[in-house]
Amino acid sequence: MRKKVTVVGAGNVGATAAQRLAEKGVADVVLVDIVEGMPQGKALDLMEAAPVEKHDFKILGSNSYDPSENSDVVIITAGIARKPGMSRDDLIKTNMNIVANVTREIASRSPQATLIIVSNPLDAMCHVAYKVSGFDRKKVVGMAGILDTARYRCFLAMELGVSVENIQALVLGGHGDTMVPLPRFTTVTGIPVTEFIAPARLEEIIDRTRNGGAEIVSLLKTGSAYYAPASSAVEMAESILYDRKKLLPCAAMLDGEYGIKGLFIGVPVKLGEGGIEQIVELKLLPEEDAALKNSAAAVQKLVDFLAQEGL
Ligand code: APR
């Protein structure tokens, strides 16, 4: 049977995710947004591209959540995006209400779905969706680690002049300035990256990765990145829908793993038909562990804010 994915928010990330889901042959898509006519228009435009792109997947645009009923996966991108000078955390007040409302509508119609959260500040928005949905922690997962790791891999491939596919890497932690790229787990076809790049240069590349989102915001001026975020969310959806069991860095609700409890943090997880089927616990070096705890402390501050607001 065909899989069904609802994408909430038909803006830059949402519409790009819808396009990739259909054109890569992953699933039928329901695209929901509050702006009247806009999701319907984008969906129709994508359907009209189907004869040329050679697929028969359906993309339906709607302002109502009713067509989203019984989705297998729901990707939540609704909310406002950053403008130059804003941090992801600046979005919290607006986006927490949007993500809470969206989650209520979705959870009542698709209680079996796995939720993939994209709205920022990512780790805090995962927290909102988890609390409001009442879903098992396996069924709420945040898109950040794949994007951060993809940026890191892209910059390393550019530096070395090798295929992006040769670069294997892992970025842990929150989706923000405190993210934790791990050079120890960065290889070029299994060869430690430190064989190719001097420590000082590697540190510069890691720094560019940390600021990867801001670099795009400062270039675009009117919004934030969307091609790579959409690709990352679609990779997660595909692994869940087709039970691929890919090990991917994603934001997961930790319950004591890595010594952290009650927070969404980026860690390696196995994504399959059950959602998060396993959280992989790596033995971190003391400085890596300290960086992860620092990242968790930044997420905790946002969660404390949510608690004050009754979420
Ligand atoms: N219900 C449904 N859709 C909503 C709601 C709501 N309550 N509120 C806002 N939206 C829609 C907007 O109408 C808009 O079409 O969310 C969409 C957001 O799209 P963009 O403004 O283009 O933002 P985008 O770049 O897609 O980013 C969306 O993902 O990466 C994060 O930081 C980013 O939080 C931002 C989110």
Side-chain angles (χ1 to χ4, degrees), residues 20-270:
R20 297 236 161 95
L21 285 164
E23 292 179 0
K24 288 179 88 177
V26 178
D28 290 325
V29 181
V30 177
L31 190 57
V32 181
D33 202 286
I34 37 163
V35 178
E36 223 172 281
M38 189 266 266
Q40 293 89 336
K42 290 192 179 182
L44 184 58
D45 197 6
L46 284 168
M47 286 291 286
E48 289 167 0
V52 184
E53 294 298 333
K54 302 181 182 65
H55 71 81
D56 285 298
F57 285 85
K58 303 273 173 283
I59 305 132
L60 175 78
S62 175
N63 300 121
S64 154
Y65 285 84
D66 290 341
S68 75
E69 208 173 24
N70 292 325
S71 293
D72 300 295
V73 162
V74 178
I75 301 177
I76 299 181
T77 77
I80 54 166
R82 285 199 279 174
K83 304 243 162 38
M86 288 173 91
S87 78
R88 292 185 183 91
D89 296 356
D90 293 335
L91 308 174
I92 192 166
K93 269 199 154 173
T94 311
N95 285 356
M96 69 178 191
N97 291 319
I98 293 173
V99 171
N101 288 336
V102 167
T103 304
R104 258 176 229 115
E105 301 281 359
I106 287 297
S108 60
R109 291 174 177 83
S110 299
Q112 309 301 328
T114 300
L115 308 181
I116 298 175
I117 313 303
V118 178
S119 309
N120 273 314
L122 191 271
D123 309 278
M125 293 306 106
C126 291
H127 205 93
V128 171
Y130 170 68
K131 288 270 170 186
V132 172
S133 66
F135 285 8
D136 189 282
R137 70 175 176 135
K138 293 186 174 126
K139 301 291 234 169
V140 182
V141 57
M143 188 294 295
I146 301 176
L147 171 61
D148 294 331
T149 304
R151 285 180 172 146
Y152 183 43
R153 292 170 63 198
C154 165
F155 298 149
L156 288 170
M158 281 157 56
E159 177 76 9
L160 295 174
V162 299
S163 165
V164 287
E165 289 182 42
N166 288 156
I167 312 281
Q168 305 299 328
L170 184 60
V171 175
L172 302 183
H175 186 44
D177 305 337
T178 58
M179 72 179 72
V180 187
L182 295 174
R184 194 160 63 95
F185 297 114
T186 306
T187 70
V188 185
T189 320
I191 306 163
V193 72
T194 44
E195 297 285 321
F196 298 91
I197 304 180
R201 179 65 188 140
L202 188 57
E203 203 42 57
E204 284 172 9
I205 292 171
I206 288 174
D207 210 47
R208 187 173 181 195
T209 303
R210 277 204 190 93
N211 296 307
E215 185 177 359
I216 303 273
V217 170
S218 71
L219 290 166
L220 294 182
K221 298 186 182 68
T222 54
S224 53
Y226 52 101
Y227 292 115
S231 294
S232 306
V234 169
E235 181 174 36
M236 292 166 72
E238 194 187 11
S239 190
I240 295 165
L241 292 166
Y242 295 94
D243 199 27
R244 298 281 306 274
K245 302 195 189 296
K246 283 190 180 180
L247 274 192
L248 296 165
C250 299
M253 168 55 87
L254 299 187
D255 187 24
E257 298 89 357
Y258 290 92
I260 298 167
K261 207 174 163 66
L263 287 181
F264 277 85
I265 286 282
V267 290
V269 301
K270 189 201 283 177

